[in-house]
């Protein structure tokens, strides 16, 4: 059985004290979850401070990006061991904002995935097509190429530590959510790619999240859909009530 995951990507939001207060209040509400795994990905500046709050809870911490080198003259960058030593177990890699605003290539993302895995971090690997690509019928070609680049040479014991998030670029921060059918179709394609490369067992146990304008109003129909095992949430993860509501929807669904 696959684990359901709800991950919060705060992006470039919340200063240190605000992050701390938010996490303190939210984490109290999330203590009794039985089946939903929560991952909070605040900005780098808040990681260590928040990690102290999460120490004796099952809520995990993740970074939003990292560099693939271990250390050195890379001004403004942060390494996998820095994330690890700040309390992170996860790191988001290949987010579309990194791909399209900061021009990260499939090759750079692949190097980051390898570096994360060799430093005991679990990558949350994002894939997704742009609007023009969907409109010109290129969705599966784009997803295939992002998947193949990210997962080439990843061994079976390593894939078990990866999480995949399908985030159609046109749905991020736009209020336009993929329909459950659109999301399920792409997430099914990703699961098939995993099965081709590894096995049905590996494919069946891989958590595949959906991200892109997830709200309490659409979370229910998405989580009920085949191949969607949880969410990577941006905007709604910044508001305690909204995030908590979505987590509850996933938790209820898991228990049924
Ligand atoms: P929104 O939920 O704000 O659309 O952002 C999704 C996202 O990019 C999560 O990584």
């Amino acid at each position: 059985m696959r684990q359901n995951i709800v991950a919060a990507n705060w992006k470039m939001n919340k200063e240190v004290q605000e992050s701390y207060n938010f996490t303190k209040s939210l984490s109290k509400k999330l203590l009794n979850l039985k089946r939903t795994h929560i991952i909070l990905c605040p900005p780098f500046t808040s990681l260590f401070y928040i990690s102290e709050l999460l120490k004796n809870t099952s809520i995990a911490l993740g970074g939003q990006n990292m560099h693939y080198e271990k250390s050195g003259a890379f001004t403004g960058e942060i390494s996998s061991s820095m994330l690890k030593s700040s309390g992170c177990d996860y790191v988001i890699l290949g987010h579309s904002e990194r791909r399209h605003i900061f021009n990260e290539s499939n090759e750079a993302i692949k190097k980051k995935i390898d570096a994360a895995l060799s430093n005991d971090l679990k990558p949350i690997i994002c894939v997704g097509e742009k609007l023009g690509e969907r409109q010109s019928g290129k969705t599966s070609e784009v997803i295939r190429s992002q998947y193949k680049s990210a997962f080439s040479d990843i061994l079976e014991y390593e894939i078990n530590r990866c999480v995949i998030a399908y985030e159609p670029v046109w749905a991020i921060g736009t209020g336009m959510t993929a329909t459950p059918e659109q999301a399920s179709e792409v997430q099914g394609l990703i699961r098939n790619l995993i099965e081709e490369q590894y096995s049905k067992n590996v494919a069946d146990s891989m958590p595949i999240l959906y991200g892109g304008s997830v709200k309490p109003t659409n979370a229910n129909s998405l989580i009920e859909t085949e191949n969607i095992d949880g969410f990577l949430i941006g905007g709604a993860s910044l508001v305690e009530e909204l995030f908590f509501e979505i987590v509850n929807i996933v938790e209820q669904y898991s228990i049924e």
Side-chain angles (χ1 to χ4, degrees):
M1 192 164 150
R2 294 192 289 271
Q3 184 167 43
N4 281 343
I5 295 176
V6 180
N9 177 9
W10 292 359
K11 308 191 180 184
M12 196 171 72
N13 293 291
K14 297 195 189 294
E15 291 162 12
V16 176
Q17 193 62 50
E18 188 189 355
S19 302
Y20 186 87
N21 296 343
F22 183 91
T23 305
K24 194 169 182 183
S25 166
L26 180 72
S27 59
K28 281 187 199 140
K29 293 188 174 171
L30 299 178
L31 287 179
N32 294 323
L33 295 177
K34 301 233 167 359
R35 317 212 176 182
T36 311
H37 184 48
I38 306 293
I39 308 167
L40 299 184
C41 304
F44 296 142
T45 44
S46 300
L47 284 171
F48 185 65
Y49 202 29
I50 289 183
S51 76
E52 295 293 310
L53 276 177
L54 300 182
K55 246 176 195 155
N56 297 315
T57 75
S58 59
I59 301 169
L61 200 58
Q64 295 176 17
N65 181 33
M66 53 169 245
H67 197 274
Y68 48 79
E69 293 291 350
K70 288 195 172 110
S71 62
F74 300 101
T75 301
E77 292 292 334
I78 190 156
S79 71
S80 52
S81 63
M82 289 170 189
L83 290 182
K84 193 75 200 166
S85 64
S86 301
C88 292
D89 284 321
Y90 290 84
V91 59
I92 299 173
L93 294 175
H95 191 278
S96 69
E97 285 146 21
R98 300 299 318 172
R99 290 179 189 268
H100 303 304
I101 304 175
F102 299 99
N103 297 320
E104 281 189 16
S105 62
N106 274 343
E107 292 69 34
I109 293 161
K110 168 66 179 157
K111 285 188 189 174
K112 292 179 180 205
I113 295 168
D114 291 345
L117 286 169
S118 56
N119 218 324
D120 201 23
L121 282 171
K122 299 176 192 163
I124 302 172
I125 302 164
C126 303
V127 295
E129 81 288 1
K130 294 194 258 185
L131 184 58
E133 292 166 337
R134 172 162 284 269
Q135 286 169 338
S136 55
K138 294 213 173 96
T139 301
S140 48
E141 190 186 314
V142 172
I143 301 299
R144 234 170 244 278
S145 122
Q146 291 175 346
Y147 171 89
K148 294 225 165 186
S149 166
F151 288 93
S152 64
D153 304 328
I154 291 196
L155 303 172
E156 191 163 327
Y157 80 92
E158 293 174 318
I159 183 107
N160 293 330
R161 291 171 39 219
C162 297
V163 176
I164 301 183
Y166 168 54
E167 299 206 310
V169 181
W170 48 271
I172 296 178
T174 58
M176 273 165 68
T177 322
T179 62
E181 294 72 29
Q182 286 171 323
S184 179
E185 189 185 349
V186 177
Q187 304 202 185
L189 164 69
I190 296 169
R191 213 175 290 289
N192 287 342
L193 291 168
I194 301 168
E195 184 172 339
E196 269 169 33
Q197 188 178 348
Y198 300 95
S199 65
K200 182 157 174 26
N201 260 356
V202 172
D204 283 346
S205 58
M206 166 68 67
I208 307 180
L209 314 183
Y210 168 79
S213 297
V214 176
K215 305 271 179 302
T217 45
N218 56 29
N220 212 25
S221 58
L222 286 163
I223 196 66
E224 277 174 6
T225 307
E226 199 185 345
N227 288 318
I228 299 183
D229 305 310
F231 301 121
L232 178 55
I233 307 174
S237 74
L238 299 171
V239 183
E240 188 179 321
E241 296 71 31
L242 297 183
F243 186 69
F244 184 59
E245 226 180 299
I246 298 170
V247 169
N248 264 332
I249 289 170
V250 174
E251 174 80 354
Q252 287 312 313
Y253 178 76
S254 314
I255 288 169
E256 277 160 19

